Structure formats: structure tokens, C-alpha cells
Amino acid sequence: MTKVIIIGSGNVAQHLIVAFQNSQNSGTEIELIQVFSRQKESVSHLLDLDKITDDFDTLLEADLYIIAVSDDAIADVSSQLPFKNRLVVHTSGSIPLDSLNENNRKGVFYPLQTFTKNKDVDFRIIPICLESENATDFQLLDKVAKTISDKVFAINSEQRKALHVAAVFVNNFVNHLYQIGQEICQEHQVPFEILKPLISETAQKVMILSPEDAQTGPAERNDTNTIEAHEAFLSNENHATIYKTLTQSIQHNGKKL
């Protein structure tokens, strides 16, 4: 039986706890034996209290320790672990492998998804990006990852950084554009609900087409009259600036503006 411990209690940690427990219920050889949380009550709804600790010195011996904390806390947490030469990984998309303390063997177990507390996700379709210092540790990470996901990838630190930046564009930035769209609707007393089928169709298209092939709209058509009318219509200077920048980027198709 491969024993796993999760260190952390935030969004990623909680979703991993659920995923591993679901995996255990399916009869896999992976067992989540303990969770470290500074506030036990934050994860007490997910597992028994006797599996939760708030003291690093009481961490059990395991095959894999997954640090699922904020990026700026990873180095500090890894330095507080009271043991040596065990496999310790973090779940960050942007933090290098070598940010982990030298006392233990290092790795990365990065689930590429946006997580929200209390919102269920299907972990089987979430890509998990793995990195380790040696082949033996990678085999263990691969085994563990495949018990909760059908999409497991070997990704080095530089590739992971590229993925994380790309994810900001397709997730965080796109969501911010949704917010701008909602603000424009609210300003003119139009229900944002009307745009939701368009949002859904746009997301579905890139599942079967490349983003370049899926691109439509006035910038793609070089419809100057419509573009100028839109820019004149936007009273919010920030909205107008973003509109102009994105229009120019589409028209240049990724070339330098």
C-alpha cells in the first residue's frame, strides 16, 4: 500500500483529499493516511479528526508528502519537515522544483485546474503534471497520479512555467473579460444571462478547433466601422484600452504590435 500525506487545507488540498478518498473507496493501493492543517476544523468535514494533525513532529511515515499550500509558503513549509530523504512534492504551477528543501527528495504534483471550495470537480479529467529528480520517484508519482486522474504528464519546470502563464491567459484573463462584459451589461441594464450561451459555445469550439481557426468578430474581419463605433461607445477608459489592445493583437495574429 502506497501511503500519502497532504500538507495544507486550502482549495487544492481539499480537492486532493476528496480525490484520494474517492480513489480509496474504489479499491486502489493508495491510502491517504494523514493531513496536516494548522486549523484542524478547516478539513474536519472531509476526514476523521484522528487523521488530522497540526504538529509537524507528529507527521507519520509515508511514501509521499504533498505540500498543497500557497506559493510563498512552500519553501518555509518544506524546511519545517522533521525528517530526511523522503519524497516531498509541491502542487504549484509557478514554483521551481529546487524551492523545496534539500533535506528530502523533491518533486512536483501539479493539477492544472482552477479550484473553488465546495464546488465539486471531476478529478479524472484534470491534467496532473509531474516532475522529479530521479526515475524511481517519478514512477511513484505516476502511480499515485493515475489513481485519481486519467491525464498525467511528465513536465519539467520550464514547461510548467509556460503552462502556468498560458493558464493565466485562458482562465484568469478570460474570466476578467467576462467581468468587463458583465459591467457593460449592468451599465446599460442588459441581463448578463443573455451572453452565457455565447460563452458556452466559444469554450466548446476550442475543444474541436484551434483557437486561431475559431476566431471570429470585427477584429478578425477587419471591420473598421464596427471597431471604431465600439471604441467610441465605451465610456470606461480601461475597457476602451483593453478593447483596442486585444483588437490590435487579433489583427496582427500574435505578431509584435
Side-chain angles (χ1 to χ4, degrees):
M1 185 71 71
T2 301
K3 298 178 180 180
V4 176
I5 290 178
I6 294 174
I7 300 172
S9 59
N11 290 342
V12 176
Q14 291 197 20
H15 282 284
L16 283 172
I17 291 169
V18 172
F20 280 120
Q21 294 205 124
N22 289 341
S23 173
Q24 284 178 218
N25 293 336
S26 300
T28 65
E29 295 184 358
I30 307 299
E31 182 182 5
L32 179 64
I33 62 169
Q34 193 178 42
V35 171
F36 173 92
S37 174
R38 295 188 188 280
Q39 297 179 319
K40 289 186 176 182
E41 62 274 12
S42 63
V43 292
S44 59
H45 62 293
L46 297 176
L47 69 170
D48 295 337
L49 278 174
D50 61 0
K51 285 191 172 184
I52 308 171
T53 181
D54 58 3
D55 183 355
F56 284 119
D57 289 330
T58 62
L59 285 173
L60 301 175
E61 184 171 349
D63 301 290
L64 174 63
Y65 299 79
I66 301 176
I67 298 178
V69 299
S70 62
D71 287 1
D72 57 2
I74 289 173
D76 180 57
V77 168
S78 69
S79 69
Q80 295 184 59
L81 299 179
F83 45 71
K84 293 184 178 181
N85 198 33
R86 298 184 192 175
L87 180 55
V88 176
V89 302
H90 68 66
T91 60
S92 171
S94 59
I95 299 299
L97 184 72
D98 59 13
S99 293
L100 292 166
N101 191 274
E102 295 289 343
N103 283 338
N104 290 288
R105 309 191 316 275
K106 307 173 188 177
V108 176
F109 193 95
Y110 170 46
L112 203 167
Q113 184 56 278
T114 175
F115 294 102
T116 303
K117 283 182 181 178
N118 303 319
K119 184 181 183 303
D120 292 339
V121 296
D122 180 3
F123 230 100
R124 299 249 46 115
I125 65 172
I126 294 176
I128 300 181
C129 302
L130 305 178
E131 183 179 2
S132 67
E133 294 178 302
N134 62 69
T136 301
D137 286 341
F138 184 88
Q139 289 173 359
L140 175 62
L141 291 179
D142 187 62
K143 174 186 175 182
V144 172
K146 286 178 177 175
T147 65
I148 61 174
S149 173
D150 295 327
K151 298 182 180 294
V152 179
F153 300 89
I155 300 291
N156 64 38
S157 287
E158 193 65 20
Q159 291 171 322
R160 182 161 41 85
K161 186 184 297 183
L163 272 174
H164 195 257
V165 172
V168 169
F169 273 92
V170 304
N171 176 40
N172 307 122
F173 288 172
V174 168
N175 189 72
H176 182 63
L177 295 179
Y178 293 157
Q179 180 184 342
I180 290 174
Q182 184 178 47
E183 290 171 358
I184 293 170
C185 286
Q186 289 174 339
E187 182 182 354
H188 297 278
Q189 293 79 53
V190 178
F192 181 68
E193 184 78 18
I194 296 174
L195 292 174
K196 289 185 178 179
L198 175 64
I199 292 171
S200 179
E201 175 64 15
T202 302
Q204 288 301 315
K205 279 202 297 187
V206 296
M207 301 300 153
I208 57 176
L209 299 173
S210 72
E212 182 177 355
D213 289 339
Q215 187 68 58
T216 62
E220 173 69 16
R221 297 190 302 270
N222 199 29
D223 185 348
T224 305
N225 290 336
T226 299
I227 291 169
E228 290 177 351
H230 285 175
E231 291 178 355
F233 176 81
L234 291 169
S235 57
N236 183 301
E237 184 178 346
N238 183 51
H239 295 175
T241 298
I242 292 172
Y243 184 99
K244 184 174 293 188
T245 300
L246 291 177
T247 294
Q248 290 176 346
S249 182
I250 292 169
Q251 289 175 330
H252 287 77
N253 196 24
K255 298 175 184 177
K256 186 175 180 180
L257 299 181

